Amino acid sequence: MVAGVQIHSKEAQQAQAEILTEDALKFIAALHRTFESTRQSLLVAREAAQLRLDAGVPLDFPPETAHIRADPSWLCAAPGPGLEDRRVEITGPTDRKMVVNALNSGTKTFMADFEDANSPTFANMLNGQVNLRDAIRRQIDFESGGKSYKLTDKPAVLICRTRGWHLDEPRVTVDNTPVSGSLFDFALYFYHNAWELVKRGSGPYFYLPKMEHYLEARLWNDVFNFSQSYIGMPFGTIRGTVLIETLPAAFQMEEILFELRTHSAGLNCGRWDYIFSFIKRRRADRSALLPDRKDVTMESPFMDAYVRLLIQTCHRRRVAAMGGMSAQIPVKNDVQANDAAMNKVRADKLREVKAGHDGTWIAHPAINQIAMEIFNEHMLGPHQYHIRREDVRVAAADLLSNKVPGQITSAGVRSGVEAALAYSAAWLGGNGCIPLNGLMEDAATAEISRAQLWQWVRHGARLADTGETITPEYVDNVIDTSGPKVVGGLISQKNVDIVSKYLKAQVRKEWPGEFLTSDLMGYLAIADGCPAQWQRSVL
């Protein structure tokens, strides 16, 4: 064992033996001891920023970094090998079958997700690392249910998404403190695979989620430099694509690219988390009340402004401006419903490529052909960096616009409750993404639902169809009647009961919890055998 490092779970023993090696744990300990205090100070800074917003201080572009935004001379790094053309990226969890299918999907890249499409049980986190290690070395082929799973000759380029800075990894502690979930995921993937990826003509590539400030991007850049030095790898080998999925980050896109410029692979429109953040960060502002989730589209003024600014920013600095995820998935045994869903995907991808995006996300291999055809028709080169969008003028007021057409309806409340219940209960059961009513739901979409329920109750919203005020008791009733409908398959009654209690408590709180994944993590930690102090109260 490594001095000061403790593993608090006996789950996934084979994966522990293969992945949590002595040298890998030494690397994790070195990262923790070097960067944990900075991470904690940045999380405290998030809390202070929220208090300023609650007090009525509006978000704006930081004055102290105006010189960075005004300087046209600096550019980001060239694309890493294999990242020159990212026109379609598929995303999904890291289970073995998904990894093979995603890498074989025909997309340009696969974002292997340890975050929002994943339930962070210890087995999922470690087996996912085993699966990615094996895929990189082309040792992942297997058979299951009479079917053979084998990598093609030219699989998609692999990109790993870690957990966000806010999440701990409670099953591993260093000096009696949980390690950062971000650093745990990054360290294991990087330590075991960085040189192998370079040898095979690729590199250690990452998606970086949930950042709220350019100093958080600076922390990632420091981690990259430390890690490359640690293994003797040339500086600038790593590439990181930042998801702009929080409202504060939208005001600091230039600064985030600047901090990561020697390692940057661009920015991505993390649309669903961005909507969640718009609600959460403006929690005290009744004017930020949003209608039913289905009405908050990419054409909503605040979303459109964020997209235009992201594309302009990235192309000014010569990096990829990646589009987002269409939540629709193929509908089986209903041609009309499937056609309607796929038409929504087509419209979304066409909007993205015409806006100037350099690529897009899909959640299902069957959608690759649709997305690829649209980007092939309208993006003839590997990217669209030449589309500078110099016509774009986005002010702070545009990013904060509350002009969102739509209504708050009883159907919207019920849909939100069902999504939050079903997803969160599945997450407690070890599944991080589920199909629900023709959509692929992950943590981000469940977070929108949870935040909207809180927002509607907090600000006394009225239902457009019945005139009723949305109260805690009204939400209670919808939860009680919706719970039985979502039980079945991957979703147990026990977990629905836990989530029902959690949601009822949430809508009664002064402020909503920061993340449901943080609020509910204690249940996974206890199930993995962690000491009782890791169980957090959800009430």
Side-chain angles (χ1 to χ4, degrees), residues 108-351:
K108 293 294 185 179
T109 75
F110 165 43
M111 187 199 77
D113 195 4
F114 285 107
E115 200 219 11
D116 275 4
N118 175 63
S119 170
T121 66
F122 207 40
N124 283 349
M125 304 313 294
L126 295 182
N127 287 327
Q129 293 281 355
V130 170
N131 295 336
L132 298 187
R133 178 204 65 184
D134 291 350
I136 290 163
R137 292 161 176 78
R138 302 189 66 85
Q139 298 171 352
I140 197 173
D141 300 354
F142 70 102
E143 292 189 3
S144 177
K147 185 176 180 180
S148 177
Y149 294 86
K150 185 177 182 180
L151 285 184
T152 62
D153 291 337
K154 292 186 178 180
V157 173
L158 190 58
I159 307 176
C160 172
R161 177 160 74 170
T162 70
R163 284 170 282 182
W165 282 129
H166 60 286
L167 289 170
D168 293 337
E169 174 43 74
R171 280 85 38 137
V172 178
T173 58
V174 174
D175 305 328
N176 297 313
T177 304
V179 301
S180 156
S182 300
L183 294 182
F184 182 84
D185 301 340
F186 165 82
L188 293 177
Y189 183 78
F190 179 83
Y191 189 81
H192 288 296
N193 303 307
W195 281 118
E196 186 70 25
L197 285 160
V198 170
K199 185 177 79 174
R200 292 175 178 269
S202 184
Y205 304 147
F206 297 89
Y207 257 108
L208 309 175
K210 304 288 189 295
M211 279 192 270
E212 302 207 12
H213 198 280
Y214 63 85
L215 292 178
E216 297 178 21
R218 181 180 297 176
L219 176 57
W220 268 120
N221 200 65
D222 290 345
V223 168
F224 291 168
N225 284 330
F226 178 95
S227 301
Q228 288 164 142
S229 178
Y230 190 93
I231 67 169
M233 177 168 278
F235 290 122
T237 303
I238 294 173
R239 288 292 182 275
T241 306
V242 174
L243 291 123
I244 300 298
E245 53 187 351
T246 69
L247 186 60
F251 290 83
Q252 302 183 28
M253 294 190 212
E254 293 258 24
E255 293 86 343
I256 287 169
L257 287 179
F258 181 81
E259 294 294 346
L260 282 159
R261 62 194 180 279
T262 57
H263 297 104
S264 178
L267 305 176
N268 173 285
C269 285
R271 61 176 73 171
W272 305 114
D273 267 304
Y274 190 76
I275 296 169
F276 165 51
S277 179
F278 184 91
I279 299 167
K280 182 173 63 173
R281 290 293 164 250
R282 302 185 69 188
R283 63 192 188 182
D285 184 358
R286 196 183 192 286
S287 73
L289 205 64
L290 293 182
D292 291 352
R293 172 183 146 193
K294 68 176 178 57
D295 293 329
V296 187
T297 67
M298 297 307 294
E299 285 75 32
S300 301
F302 80 95
M303 297 296 286
D304 178 63
Y306 137 80
V307 167
R308 289 184 290 116
L309 182 58
L310 184 142
I311 294 169
Q312 180 192 55
T313 301
C314 287
H315 290 178
R316 188 183 187 211
R317 307 305 179 181
R318 303 287 295 172
V319 283
M322 299 301 297
M325 176 72 75
S326 295
Q328 289 80 16
I329 55 176
V331 181
K332 295 180 179 179
N333 305 318
D334 190 331
V335 174
Q336 187 174 358
N338 186 67
D339 287 347
M342 295 305 100
N343 285 337
K344 288 182 179 180
V345 173
R346 286 187 184 90
D348 185 63
K349 303 312 170 192
L350 185 61
R351 175 194 56 78

